[in-house]
Amino acid sequence: MSRLAHFATLCISAAVACSFDALAQGHETGGACWSAVELAGKPGEKAIHRETYDPAIEPRNEVAQLAPVAPALRGSIRSVKLPPGEKLVALTFDLCENAWEVSGYDAPIIDTLRKSGVKATFFASGKWLMDHSERAQQLMADPLFEVGAHSWTHRNFRLLPPDEMRRDLALNLHADDHLRRKLSGRSCYRPGPGPVDASRPLVFRFPFGTCNTEALDAVNDAGLLAIQWDIPTGDPAPTQSAEAIAKSAAAAKPGSIIVMHANGRGHHTAEALPRMIEELRKRGFGFATVSELIAKGEPVIKDSCYELKPGDNVKYDKLFPLDRAHNAAPPPVAGSKHAPAPTGWGADVKSTAPATTHPAAPITADRP
């Protein structure tokens, strides 16, 4: 590791350590904001519903400008090289939401993580945060969890010009800041002094896991680490069984980052998760948030985003051509001339209005 990379990692380690202490102090009082009944899942929460985009949901609060990411940590982080003897993995769950829908909240996943005492990182779209305000604050208040950013409405950053990337990212950060401020204002919540993790996101995941040089620069310039993965589970595909999702973790090595979904598009993830956790623990693995993982080792960084090998996610550019303009229209209905994406994007969406009422929903924020 270069001297610069070592210094940057030390800075992250210090910030995260401070955060853990503060969050530990606030665990009981933060959790007291919700009873066990309120934290438990509710019928229908996992369902995804179509809706007409309403620009009024866009947050308008000011967000402090963060320092750009240090050169040694810029790029797409796929995993972390840990010191000998450290055997940790990071479970990550995307909470995506498109402009034309309200996606779900998969409570059994969160219940399993809490019951098992397993740390995890959630990457939440800004619109998901706004549409699931209470659930989002519950995740932010829980010291087991880290909540990162995932764009405003899951637009493909590789297809967007730099100014649109920055506007989309700004809305995501505005939504995150709005809820963290709301959480910190609750009389029942006492996170303690200097909670870096609790005051802002440290990490970002690109929608569809796609990026280019301009997208990486936009995210890193905003002060966020760009987090990819080295183990995809394929859980958005309705045909991906719980057994296959659980078995995907067999490829885990110390420092691995595993990607799943907790927004209603992880079709069998809740069923697979207990088995995955059990098997990883049998192999001697512990669990960390992504920021913890990075603080403990040297990130494996690439200059592009991909699933298993460079170029293998180009399909998303073709499957979602409307992303070139605004990424607001829903995908084709199953059985139509153009089938939904084989990965499960757009599948199982329940319509609450005629498809013709879903207009393009360009970002309307007047500040980058």
Side-chain angles (χ1 to χ4, degrees):
M1 186 187 301
S2 70
R3 184 174 298 179
L4 179 58
H6 180 66
F7 174 74
T9 301
L10 285 176
C11 290
I12 291 180
S13 300
V16 172
C18 178
S19 301
F20 295 158
D21 290 343
L23 287 175
Q25 293 173 21
H27 178 48
E28 293 186 2
T29 52
C33 288
W34 301 276
S35 66
V37 172
E38 290 170 324
L39 289 173
K42 297 176 176 58
E45 276 192 301
K46 184 178 176 179
I48 302 171
H49 304 277
R50 288 184 177 176
E51 70 167 11
T52 300
Y53 184 79
D54 181 5
I57 196 175
E58 296 175 4
R60 302 287 179 169
N61 52 301
E62 294 286 350
V63 178
Q65 182 68 36
L66 306 178
V69 169
L73 294 171
R74 296 177 74 91
S76 177
I77 298 175
R78 297 188 57 80
S79 61
V80 178
K81 183 178 179 181
L82 296 175
E86 289 281 2
K87 201 170 182 182
L88 296 168
V89 295
L91 302 185
T92 70
F93 299 86
D94 290 355
L95 297 170
C96 329
E97 186 164 293
N98 293 287
W100 43 267
E101 69 178 3
V102 174
S103 62
Y105 173 82
D106 202 334
I109 289 175
I110 287 79
D111 290 346
T112 294
L113 294 170
R114 286 177 172 145
K115 181 179 179 181
S116 304
V118 170
K119 293 181 178 180
T121 299
F122 295 89
F123 291 95
S125 296
K127 185 172 179 291
W128 188 94
L129 293 174
M130 300 299 286
D131 282 332
H132 302 79
S133 173
E134 201 71 6
R135 289 307 197 187
Q137 290 178 73
Q138 291 171 2
L139 296 178
M140 291 173 173
D142 197 318
L144 282 174
F145 304 145
E146 173 180 32
V147 178
H150 194 42
S151 84
W152 171 242
T153 52
H154 208 262
R155 309 171 87 190
N156 187 340
F157 273 39
R158 188 161 60 199
L159 302 180
L160 294 174
D163 60 333
E164 283 296 294
M165 295 178 204
R166 289 190 292 269
R167 293 170 68 194
D168 186 286
L169 181 57
L171 280 174
N172 189 179
L173 295 179
H174 289 176
D176 184 279
D177 179 74
H178 173 76
L179 290 193
R180 290 178 196 262
R181 288 176 182 270
K182 188 174 181 179
L183 174 62
S184 66
R186 301 176 84 130
S187 60
C188 56
Y189 183 64
R190 293 289 184 275
V196 178
D197 277 346
S199 64
R200 65 175 177 87
L202 297 173
V203 293
F204 175 91
R205 172 165 287 158
F206 287 104
F208 308 105
T210 63
C211 73
N212 54 20
T213 300
E214 291 79 13
L216 284 168
D217 284 344
V219 168
N220 289 159
D221 287 346
L224 297 168
L225 300 177
I227 308 300
Q228 192 77 6
W229 58 78
D230 63 329
I231 299 181
T233 61
D235 71 339
T239 56
Q240 187 79 330
S241 69
E243 181 180 7
I245 294 169
K247 282 186 175 180
S248 65
K253 59 184 184 296
S256 281
I257 298 174
I258 303 172
V259 59
M260 292 173 275
H261 293 75
N263 67 331
R265 285 198 166 92
H267 294 280
H268 302 290
T269 307
E271 181 184 351
L273 187 58
R275 194 182 322 174
M276 180 185 291
I277 292 171
E278 180 182 5
E279 290 303 317
L280 285 168
R281 280 180 165 162
K282 282 182 180 178
R283 292 174 57 195
F285 283 103
F287 301 92
T289 66
V290 169
S291 290
E292 264 189 301
L293 207 62
I294 292 172
K296 288 180 176 293
E298 180 182 358
V300 177
I301 303 177
K302 303 297 181 180
D303 59 5
S304 64
C305 299
Y306 53 90
E307 293 183 13
L308 293 174
K309 60 182 179 179
D312 64 3
N313 59 14
V314 174
K315 61 187 177 183
Y316 293 115
D317 298 356
K318 299 176 181 178
L319 287 166
F320 296 87
L322 287 177
D323 286 355
R324 296 183 184 276
H326 39 61
N327 190 39
V333 176
S336 65
K337 182 179 179 181
H338 302 286
T343 53
W345 284 103
D348 302 332
V349 178
K350 297 181 180 180
S351 179
T352 56
T356 54
T357 66
H358 299 276
I363 291 179
T364 59
D366 55 4
R367 289 188 297 270

